[in-house]
């Protein structure tokens, strides 16, 4: 509803501005200023409502990687190249290394498991070992030809389409 009011007020502001420019009377200019202020208030209210809902979503809902990227994109869009400032305990952080440390501490705390009072089960000792692994050229070829090029890079830091290009040139 807030977004609809902002759009409606924006259109009304533009119509009022055209009328004020056309007539150039003090009455129309005063009317335009009132409509403009009403529009600005509606836009600010819509923004506040949007960020409040997003904040509630971040704070109260479980976040998986897909939700997280959607939230980040909705907040910052795809065009932003600068790293935004970070506010922690009413302190604005602008140092990238300090930001990385803060995120590292936060996310590592999310995955800590208190296993100090846990008794591990007794397991039989595994005595057999793997002596040989045979990997044929055909096995490697099958894996390379079935790489999903839409996936993220692997531990070799090469994108899958580069790996496929290199492989196809070696053929």
């Amino acid at each position: 509803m807030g977004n609809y009011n902002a759009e409606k007020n924006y259109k009304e502001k533009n119509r009022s501005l055209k009328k004020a420019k056309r007539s150039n009377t003090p009455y129309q200019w005063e009317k335009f200023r009132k409509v403009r202020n009403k529009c600005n208030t509606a836009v600010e209210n819509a923004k506040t409502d949007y960020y409040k809902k997003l904040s509630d979503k971040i704070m109260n809902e479980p976040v998986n990687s897909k939700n997280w990227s959607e939230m980040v994109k909705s907040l910052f869009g795809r065009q932003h190249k600068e790293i935004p400032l970070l506010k922690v305990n009413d302190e604005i952080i602008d140092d990238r290394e300090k930001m990385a440390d803060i995120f590292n501490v936060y996310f590592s705390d999310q995955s800590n498991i208190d296993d100090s009072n846990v008794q591990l089960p007794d397991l039989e000792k595994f005595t057999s070992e793997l002596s040989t692994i045979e990997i044929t050229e055909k096995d490697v070829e099958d894996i390379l030809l079935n790489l999903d090029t839409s996936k993220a890079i692997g531990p070799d830091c090469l994108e899958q389409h580069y790996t496929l290009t290199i492989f196809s040139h070696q053929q």
Side-chain angles (χ1 to χ4, degrees):
M1 168 138 176
N3 202 17
Y4 171 75
N5 283 339
E7 289 177 33
K8 181 180 166 190
N9 286 324
Y10 186 76
K11 289 176 183 177
E12 186 180 351
K13 178 190 82 160
N14 288 339
R15 283 192 301 269
S16 182
L17 177 61
K18 285 180 185 177
K19 281 184 183 179
K21 284 181 177 179
R22 241 188 337 245
S23 69
N24 203 19
T25 62
Y27 171 76
Q28 287 295 338
W29 281 109
E30 181 61 31
K31 189 174 177 183
F32 162 70
R33 283 190 287 277
K34 287 181 181 178
V35 171
R36 179 195 60 201
N37 293 343
K38 182 178 161 187
C39 176
N40 290 345
T41 302
V43 168
E44 286 303 314
N45 289 342
K47 285 181 181 179
T48 302
D49 187 46
Y50 170 78
Y51 287 119
K52 184 182 181 323
K53 284 180 183 175
L54 190 59
S55 173
D56 289 344
K57 186 176 182 179
I58 290 170
M59 299 303 285
N60 299 323
E61 292 182 16
V63 179
N64 60 31
S65 61
K66 182 178 180 184
N67 292 353
W68 177 254
S69 359
E70 287 173 4
M71 284 188 271
V72 169
K73 286 176 190 171
S74 70
L75 272 173
F76 304 114
R78 296 176 187 256
Q79 303 301 320
H80 292 284
K81 303 232 187 300
E82 294 180 25
I83 296 176
L85 300 177
L86 188 62
K87 184 176 182 181
V88 178
N89 300 329
D90 294 327
E91 178 188 355
I92 303 294
I93 311 295
D94 61 353
D95 178 38
R96 290 181 179 193
E97 198 167 312
K98 194 170 182 182
M99 284 184 200
D101 289 338
I102 290 168
F103 279 117
N104 190 25
V105 167
Y106 173 78
F107 286 111
S108 62
D109 285 347
Q110 300 304 308
S111 62
N112 282 347
I113 298 172
D114 181 17
D115 60 356
S116 57
N117 297 324
V118 175
Q119 185 71 21
L120 295 176
D122 289 331
L123 299 174
E124 294 179 28
K125 187 174 180 181
F126 191 69
T127 56
S128 65
E129 62 182 54
L130 184 62
S131 57
T132 60
I133 298 176
E134 287 188 32
I135 300 174
T136 65
E137 195 173 309
K138 178 74 172 133
D139 294 335
V140 174
E141 183 180 340
D142 289 343
I143 290 170
L144 289 175
L145 291 175
N146 289 312
L147 282 177
D148 186 352
T149 57
S150 66
K151 297 290 183 182
I153 63 172
D156 57 3
C157 295
L158 284 177
E159 294 180 24
Q160 276 71 347
H161 66 92
Y162 292 133
T163 307
L164 286 173
T165 303
I166 293 167
F167 174 71
S168 64
H169 286 297
Q170 301 231 343
Q171 292 286 333

